């Protein structure tokens, strides 16, 4: 099989959509936080604890969908911690985020070990199964690639228009975007900037955690150590690449996932004859850096990103 | 709720802040110990006994603190300039790669020159890898946090490739590890028993030199000025970009030294697990030290004690060793609040 032929297989497109799902959740989550003016470097840890919490819920006998909700709730709680530090106390968003990541991921591993002290091979759950959408799934290529996925993938794809609508067509969305651009103007409208920012960070963190949960509850069926493997950081790069727009975030994530799906297949086709496997694995990280560099010149950061807001203080 | 700056920050409060933060972290983490069904005070006693209770434990704690001192200094100096270098982990491995490349037979010098030579090439390697993120920041406005983080993954994969491929030691019975550092390049042991090596002296010297630089030189003044208020620093004629680049080189170099000291001091050869996250823990060290170079020494010793002691504690009472990582993460968050409370007061209305 030729390398070009990979793009013609439905398997490639189906894999792309599968890989893109957690990235969509995570990227949208980070996008909401940053649009409100708060950089959330807790993302990597929040995804880890989301992956653990959702999986553990199901492993303990819970239902899959309540597991997703539980993951979102746990993620939102860590988002609340992040916003108490960065929004209410105005502490460094960088250091707090790193602290949240360290705390959340180590706590995930601790809880996992506490609940399963003797597990040598990671135990499995019955994850979300593919649910072909009647009618649509019979379409050529698209039917199998997009409409024969698990319900969580559909949820991810649905989140893009929902987040877009919320941000651009509702008063709450306007307040969120203003909180990230010009918080004084938000205050002038009689809206509580701190509450808006906190809400955005909590909701965004919930989405990140659902992205993590996708990995243990839909893509795989078990929780491993180091399973998120930098996906959170990649999502942050994708937010920059997307210029903080949900539609472009989807585009960037699909591009990224496509290249990821391609490299896995290229590895099988071309094998180690061209490149050792480590270099294939480097590609996603290299691409994220390249993506940031390409868009950086045109990047229009939310003006109040990283700037804590204190009521009554002149800017 | 209103946050008001305090008129003057008392030295006592500033000094106590990290200690109170650590105590708060210990109290918060005791919830997890209670959940594990172990007695809290006894568990913490076992932790510190495991870290400091015997001559062996004590040397082990000091040995493990050496890389943390280097990475802690790396984070402290970079964060001072508000250059968020989260890539100390990758820079550490770059230093280790350089030490392995030059130290396994390519260059042979007498021991008195060989050790400093390896330190220099390691520091250069750690600093040079940071060139990419720092130039992207100063010239393209690309955020350094994400680029340095992503580089960590890339460098680790590069190390994995080298020690499984071209650099693999054929004498290592199939283990993925590089050839041993030649005898001239190995850091001598400081004591006949235990693993404590001369890397400690380099780490202490580095802390002292960084302190002198920050305290008494123009470079240090510029780094602090850029971190406190870049705009004001620019008005005062400080060139921001060159200050940030210089800071990054020093920061990366310090992290690179951690790699050299682990390869040439502790292990003797490069493997993929020479660092269990020293780069990230270094950030916690720097925060506990409130970015003060000399305070990095006790902070590194303390966090090293937590890690060494947690191993002993989890053997004695059934608590997962991850408690150490949780404690470190919680400490970072606690120290942020406690340091803030030294500078501000919160008024509830």
């Amino acid at each position: 099989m030729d390398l070009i032929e990979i793009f013609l297989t439905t398997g490639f497109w189906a894999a792309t959509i599968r890989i893109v799902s957690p990235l969509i959740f995570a990227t949208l989550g980070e996008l909401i936080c940053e649009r409100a003016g708060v950089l959330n470097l807790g993302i990597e840890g929040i995804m880890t604890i989301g992956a653990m919490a959702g999986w553990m819920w199901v492993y303990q006998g819970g239902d899959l969908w309540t597991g997703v909700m539980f993951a979102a709730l746990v993620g939102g709680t860590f988002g609340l911690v992040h916003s108490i530090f960065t929004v209410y106390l105005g502490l460094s968003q960088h250091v707090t985020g790193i602290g949240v990541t360290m705390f959340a991921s180590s706590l995930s591993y601790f809880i996992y070990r506490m609940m399963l002290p003797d597990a040598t091979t990671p135990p499995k759950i019955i994850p979300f199964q593919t649910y072909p959408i009647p009618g649509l799934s019979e379409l050529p290529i698209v039917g199998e690639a997009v409409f024969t996925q698990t319900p969580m993938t559909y949820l991810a794809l649905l989140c893009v228009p929902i987040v877009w609508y919320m941000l651009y067509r509702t008063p709450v969305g306007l307040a969120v975007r203003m909180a990230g651009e010009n918080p004084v103007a938000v205050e002038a409208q009689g809206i509580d900037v701190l509450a808006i920012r906190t809400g955005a960070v909590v909701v965004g963190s919930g989405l990140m955690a659902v992205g993590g949960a996708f990995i243990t509850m839909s893509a795989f069926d078990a929780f491993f150590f180091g399973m998120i493997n930098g996906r959170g950081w990649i999502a942050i790069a994708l937010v920059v690449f997307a210029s903080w727009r949900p539609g472009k975030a989807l585009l960037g994530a699909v591009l990224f996932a496509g290249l990821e799906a391609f490299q896995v297949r290229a590895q099988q086709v071309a094998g180690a004859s061209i490149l050792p496997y480590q270099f294939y694995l480097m590609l996603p990280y290299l691409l994220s850096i390249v993506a940031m560099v390409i868009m950086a010149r045109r990047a229009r950061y939310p003006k109040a990103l990283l700037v804590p807001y204190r009521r009554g203080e002149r800017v | 709720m209103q946050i008001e700056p305090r008129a003057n920050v008392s030295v006592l409060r500033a000094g106590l802040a990290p200690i109170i933060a650590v105590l708060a972290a210990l109290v918060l983490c005791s919830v997890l110990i209670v959940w594990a069904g172990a007695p809290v005070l006894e568990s913490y006693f076992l932790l510190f006994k495991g870290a400091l209770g015997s001559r062996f434990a004590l040397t082990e704690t000091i040995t493990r603190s050496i890389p943390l001192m280097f990475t802690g200094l790396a984070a402290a100096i970079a964060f001072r300039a508000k250059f968020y270098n989260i890539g100390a982990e990758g820079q550490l491995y770059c230093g280790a790669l350089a030490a392995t490349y030059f130290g396994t037979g390519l260059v042979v010098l007498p021991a008195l020159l060989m050790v400093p030579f390896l330190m220099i090439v390691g520091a250069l390697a750690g600093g040079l890898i940071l060139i990419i993120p720092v130039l992207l920041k100063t010239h393209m406005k690309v955020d350094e946090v994400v680029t340095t983080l992503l580089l960590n993954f890339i460098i680790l994969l590069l190390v994995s490739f080298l020690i499984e491929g071209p650099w693999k030691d054929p004498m290592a019975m199939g283990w993925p590890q590089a050839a041993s550092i030649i005898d001239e390049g190995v850091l001598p042991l400081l004591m006949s028993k235990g693993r404590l090596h001369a890397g400690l002296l380099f780490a202490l010297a580095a802390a002292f030199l960084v302190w002198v630089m920050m305290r008494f030189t123009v470079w240090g003044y510029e780094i602090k000025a850029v971190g406190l208020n870049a705009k004001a620093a620019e008005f005062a004629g400080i060139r921001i970009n060159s200050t940030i680049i210089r800071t990054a080189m020093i920061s990366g170099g310090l992290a690179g030294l951690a790699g050299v000291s682990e390869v040439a001091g502790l292990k003797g050869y490069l493997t993929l697990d020479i660092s269990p996250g020293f780069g990230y823990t270094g950030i916690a060290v720097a925060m506990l030290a409130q970015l003060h170079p000399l305070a990095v020494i006790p902070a590194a010793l303390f966090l090293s004690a937590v890690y060494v002691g947690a191993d002993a504690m989890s053997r004695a009472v059934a608590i997962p060793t991850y408690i150490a990582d949780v404690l470190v993460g919680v400490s970072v968050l606690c120290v942020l609040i406690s340091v803030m409370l030294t500078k501000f007061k919160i008024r509830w209305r």
Side-chain angles (χ1 to χ4, degrees):
Chain A
M1 191 162 72
D2 226 13
L3 282 177
I4 299 298
E5 281 171 36
I6 290 174
F7 291 107
L8 299 176
T9 59
T10 10
F12 162 77
W13 292 102
T16 301
I17 299 299
R18 199 166 50 240
I19 295 169
V20 85
S21 310
L23 282 177
I24 291 177
F25 285 122
T27 310
L28 288 177
E30 182 70 33
L31 188 144
I32 295 173
C33 297
E34 292 191 19
R35 261 305 170 91
V38 182
L39 173 73
N40 192 345
L41 290 179
I43 183 167
E44 184 84 2
I46 290 172
M47 286 181 82
T48 309
I49 202 145
M52 196 280 298
W55 179 88
M56 189 61 85
W57 180 273
V58 179
Y59 184 73
Q60 299 294 335
D63 161 66
L64 281 167
W65 281 112
T66 46
V68 173
M69 282 190 260
F70 179 62
L73 190 74
V74 172
T77 310
F78 278 89
L80 188 64
V81 173
H82 188 72
S83 48
I84 289 171
F85 276 68
T86 57
V87 177
Y88 283 96
L89 301 177
L91 292 163
S92 159
Q93 297 180 4
H94 285 109
V95 182
T96 306
I98 292 157
V100 168
T101 281
M102 287 170 118
F103 176 39
S105 42
S106 56
L107 189 66
S108 317
Y109 301 144
F110 182 89
I111 293 173
Y112 181 82
R113 265 280 157 260
M114 275 299 298
M115 311 272 278
L116 307 159
D118 310 311
T120 40
T121 49
K124 293 177 175 175
I125 58 166
I126 299 167
F128 280 103
Q129 304 296 313
T130 51
Y131 176 82
I133 291 180
L136 290 172
S137 59
E138 277 141 45
L139 294 169
I141 300 183
V142 193
E144 211 182 311
V146 183
F147 298 112
T148 312
Q149 297 279 0
T150 68
M152 273 191 95
T153 296
Y154 304 138
L155 179 67
L157 294 171
L158 266 178
C159 273
V160 181
I162 293 174
V163 169
W164 174 84
Y165 184 83
M166 291 294 287
L167 276 178
Y168 288 93
R169 289 290 181 273
T170 63
V172 178
L174 180 65
V176 167
R177 285 184 293 134
M178 285 237 297
E181 293 285 340
N182 189 349
V184 181
V186 179
E187 189 80 48
Q189 295 284 313
I191 304 171
D192 187 346
V193 178
L194 306 186
I196 286 287
R197 283 188 168 176
T198 302
V201 173
V202 169
V203 170
S205 303
L207 274 177
M208 294 166 191
V210 172
F214 179 93
I215 292 165
T216 49
M217 298 170 70
S218 184
F220 301 106
D221 48 11
F223 177 78
F224 298 96
F225 296 89
M227 165 161 232
I228 301 302
N229 209 8
R231 280 188 184 83
W233 313 131
I234 287 167
I236 295 183
L238 281 173
V239 173
V240 179
F241 180 75
S243 318
W244 291 267
R245 288 170 174 279
K248 281 190 181 169
L250 175 68
L251 185 77
V254 169
L255 237 134
F256 182 88
L259 284 162
E260 172 99 30
F262 176 76
Q263 65 90 4
V264 174
R265 278 158 185 76
Q267 230 184 111
Q268 288 158 0
V269 175
S273 56
I274 299 178
L275 278 176
Y277 74 94
Q278 288 95 343
F279 289 89
Y280 288 101
L281 294 179
M282 272 182 209
L283 278 176
Y285 307 111
L286 278 172
L287 278 170
S288 306
I289 295 179
V290 171
M292 284 184 81
V293 174
I294 293 171
M295 296 310 283
R297 276 200 186 282
R298 268 177 287 170
R300 224 185 55 74
Y301 284 77
K303 275 204 190 66
L305 185 64
L306 296 176
V307 185
Y309 180 76
R310 292 208 175 95
R311 207 169 290 151
E313 199 172 77
R314 280 176 192 279
V315 183
Chain B
M1 188 185 84
Q2 191 81 13
I3 296 166
E4 292 170 1
R6 287 182 196 277
N8 49 355
V9 181
S10 82
V11 181
L12 182 70
R13 256 204 207 108
L16 279 177
I19 296 169
I20 289 166
V22 163
L23 289 176
L26 287 172
V27 170
L28 286 171
C29 287
S30 63
V31 175
L32 298 178
I33 297 177
V34 170
W35 179 37
V40 174
L41 286 178
E42 196 191 324
S43 300
Y44 281 137
F45 174 73
L46 284 169
L47 190 150
F48 288 103
K49 198 178 145 213
L52 316 163
S54 68
R55 200 186 136 92
F56 172 77
L58 197 60
T59 53
E60 193 58 23
T61 298
I62 299 172
T63 310
R64 289 270 294 259
S65 75
I66 298 168
L68 289 179
M69 287 181 197
F70 283 122
T71 55
L73 285 170
I77 190 169
F79 283 27
R80 259 290 154 87
K82 292 232 163 71
F83 176 78
Y84 289 99
N85 170 20
I86 323 289
E89 188 79 2
Q91 291 136 27
L92 181 153
Y93 276 98
C94 279
L97 283 177
T100 305
Y101 181 71
F102 289 101
T104 48
L106 187 74
V107 178
V108 182
L109 297 168
L112 261 182
L113 292 173
M114 190 70 193
V115 170
F117 170 72
L118 289 183
M119 287 284 176
I120 290 166
V121 292
L124 281 176
L128 283 178
I129 193 69
L130 247 185
I131 283 269
I132 308 164
V134 79
L135 288 185
L136 286 178
K137 181 192 168 77
T138 53
H139 289 74
M140 313 272 288
K141 292 204 164 63
V142 179
D143 187 55
E144 74 278 16
V145 175
V146 184
T147 48
T148 51
L149 271 166
L150 291 169
L151 270 176
N152 288 344
F153 292 88
I154 295 170
I155 293 164
L156 233 73
L157 285 163
L158 178 70
V159 174
S160 154
F161 159 68
L162 286 172
I163 61 180
E164 281 179 25
W167 288 13
K168 187 170 177 174
D169 183 7
M171 312 300 281
M173 322 270 282
W175 293 106
Q177 64 185 48
S180 297
I181 302 287
I182 54 169
D183 291 344
E184 289 86 345
V186 171
L187 293 168
L189 288 176
L190 291 182
M191 283 190 274
S192 53
K193 276 184 196 166
R195 308 196 288 172
L196 187 59
H197 55 85
L200 177 68
L201 306 179
F202 283 93
L204 294 175
F208 180 73
L209 287 175
V210 171
W211 175 70
V212 168
M213 184 190 75
M214 295 302 283
R215 183 85 176 73
F216 298 108
T217 70
V218 178
W219 278 18
Y221 180 80
E222 287 178 347
I223 290 171
K224 283 186 277 192
V226 167
L228 283 172
N229 190 339
K231 271 197 189 122
E234 197 169 24
F235 274 121
I238 295 173
R239 286 190 309 191
I240 296 182
N241 281 356
S242 63
T243 305
I244 290 181
I245 293 171
R246 199 187 299 136
T247 314
M249 294 302 99
I250 300 171
S251 169
L254 286 162
L257 288 178
V260 179
S261 118
E262 290 303 283
V263 164
L266 192 66
K267 279 248 176 173
Y269 51 85
L270 174 63
T271 62
L272 205 52
D273 57 1
I274 55 166
S275 165
F278 288 136
Y280 302 103
T281 313
I283 296 167
V285 170
M287 290 315 293
L288 280 182
Q290 298 189 54
L291 310 185
H292 190 292
L294 291 181
V296 159
I297 298 168
L301 281 168
F302 171 73
L303 288 187
S304 166
V306 168
Y307 278 106
V308 173
D311 285 341
M313 176 178 78
S314 83
R315 276 194 300 272
V317 286
I319 298 172
T321 43
Y322 293 104
I323 188 84
D325 294 300
V326 181
L327 204 55
V328 171
V330 175
S331 304
V332 171
L333 294 176
C334 286
V335 83
L336 272 171
I337 290 197
S338 74
V339 169
M340 188 196 118
L341 289 178
T342 63
K343 295 177 189 151
F344 297 91
K345 56 186 166 194
I346 295 180
R347 184 166 290 173
W348 303 91
R349 289 189 304 194

